[in-house]
Amino acid sequence: MSNKILIVDEDSKIRKVARVYLEKEGYDVLSAENGVRALKEVCESEISLILIDVKIFTMNWIEACLKIRKNNVIPIIFMFNEIENINAVQVLPSVMGDYIKKPFNSEELIEIVKLRIKRYKISPSYQKLDKINIEIGSLTINRDTRQVFIANNTVRLTQKEFDILELLASNKGIVFSIEKIYEKIWGDVFFESDNTVMVHIRKIREKIEEEPENPRYIRTVWGVGYRI
């Protein structure tokens, strides 16, 4: 999965300029004009770095940022116009990150973004997160939050659908019979006439496969079962 960067700024021109610079470097870019929208993006997407204007930092957003910091180590880069703006966040070391002054050029922005993402990915917290995530092609499964993404887009699965997908993805290449899947996920005895597993597999494919009839992820092994 490619690195996804969230740009948070009230100024649409800044968001556009930063997006152009970052997308040229191959990053996926999301943008938000306020803290509320930014929080929604953080909750719904796998963000690798947040680039945020310090003017966004109303007290509610500071509290929200502290919550983000409590649960993960997403790097944050603050954008500012004047040095006075920095004073507003200096009392909050737990949310502080690097700074970049506006207007910035492409070299400045790319250099600091690459450095922060590199540090992030070698940190113990990221290594732990990396074990939580299962990544297969464009498919990402987060065991901790029970979220599923296809090319960074959130996929809504039911509890049982997620359990089946996690089982198969955690055992990539191993074929599971319908009976084995049923017994592991439902914890009950399987009856030959029960088509519950097949129905759930079909629904999962409809949600994660570009062509459900020609699946890329959940493959049918005829006469045996399913595998990823």
Side-chain angles (χ1 to χ4, degrees):
M1 185 173 64
S2 60
N3 294 311
K4 176 163 281 191
I5 297 173
L6 174 62
I7 304 168
V8 190
D9 198 304
E10 295 173 334
D11 189 335
S12 61
K13 292 181 180 178
I14 292 295
R15 297 199 304 269
K16 183 177 180 180
V17 168
R19 176 185 288 273
V20 169
Y21 289 162
L22 293 167
E23 287 183 341
K24 282 184 178 179
E25 292 295 315
Y27 294 109
D28 289 329
V29 181
L30 292 173
S31 62
E33 67 280 3
N34 56 54
V36 174
R37 179 63 186 173
L39 268 179
K40 186 174 186 296
E41 296 290 359
V42 170
C43 292
E44 294 184 354
S45 304
E46 291 285 313
I47 304 295
S48 297
L49 181 141
I50 300 173
L51 189 68
I52 184 168
D53 189 290
V54 295
K55 295 193 301 295
I56 296 292
F57 271 69
T58 62
M59 182 53 65
N60 287 340
W61 175 235
I62 289 174
E63 292 171 355
C65 194
L66 286 169
K67 290 179 181 178
I68 292 173
R69 271 286 185 257
K70 183 178 180 180
N71 295 321
N72 56 59
V73 290
I74 298 173
I76 298 174
I77 298 173
F78 298 109
M79 300 179 288
F80 66 95
N81 285 314
E82 298 177 1
I83 196 68
E84 288 79 11
N85 288 342
I86 297 179
N87 296 330
V89 294
Q90 282 184 332
V91 295
L92 293 168
S94 55
V95 300
M96 285 178 67
D98 287 321
Y99 295 96
I100 186 169
K101 188 173 181 178
K102 297 190 293 185
F104 44 76
N105 59 47
S106 60
E107 290 80 8
E108 291 174 318
L109 180 63
I110 297 306
E111 181 180 1
I112 195 170
V113 166
K114 285 184 175 179
L115 177 61
R116 291 298 286 134
I117 289 180
K118 182 179 179 180
R119 288 178 184 169
Y120 173 48
K121 292 203 168 183
I122 63 175
S123 69
S125 297
Y126 180 83
Q127 297 302 319
K128 180 180 178 182
L129 177 65
D130 197 40
K131 293 178 182 178
I132 292 171
N133 285 343
I134 303 172
E135 296 188 7
I136 303 171
S138 298
L139 173 67
T140 300
I141 302 167
N142 187 303
R143 292 187 178 106
D144 192 28
T145 63
R146 294 179 66 83
Q147 290 177 294
V148 175
F149 303 90
I150 288 289
N152 296 315
N153 296 313
T154 302
V155 177
R156 307 293 183 186
L157 299 182
T158 66
Q159 179 180 333
K160 295 300 184 186
E161 289 169 358
F162 180 90
D163 290 342
I164 292 172
L165 182 61
E166 182 188 20
L167 173 66
L168 296 176
S170 299
N171 297 275
K172 186 180 177 183
I174 297 176
V175 180
F176 284 83
S177 66
I178 292 175
E179 178 181 358
K180 182 63 71 174
I181 293 173
Y182 187 89
E183 290 176 350
K184 281 185 172 291
I185 302 303
W186 278 267
D188 204 350
V189 177
F190 174 76
F191 292 96
E192 201 66 37
S193 59
D194 195 327
N195 67 348
T196 301
V197 172
M198 290 185 288
V199 170
H200 278 71
I201 292 289
R202 175 174 55 80
K203 290 182 178 179
I204 296 169
R205 282 173 169 166
E206 290 172 353
K207 295 176 181 180
I208 71 169
E209 301 284 0
E210 188 173 340
E211 299 178 50
E213 301 304 319
N214 184 29
R216 174 185 178 188
Y217 298 107
I218 300 181
R219 304 292 185 87
T220 299
V221 180
W222 296 107
V224 184
Y226 302 97
R227 69 169 177 84
I228 285 184

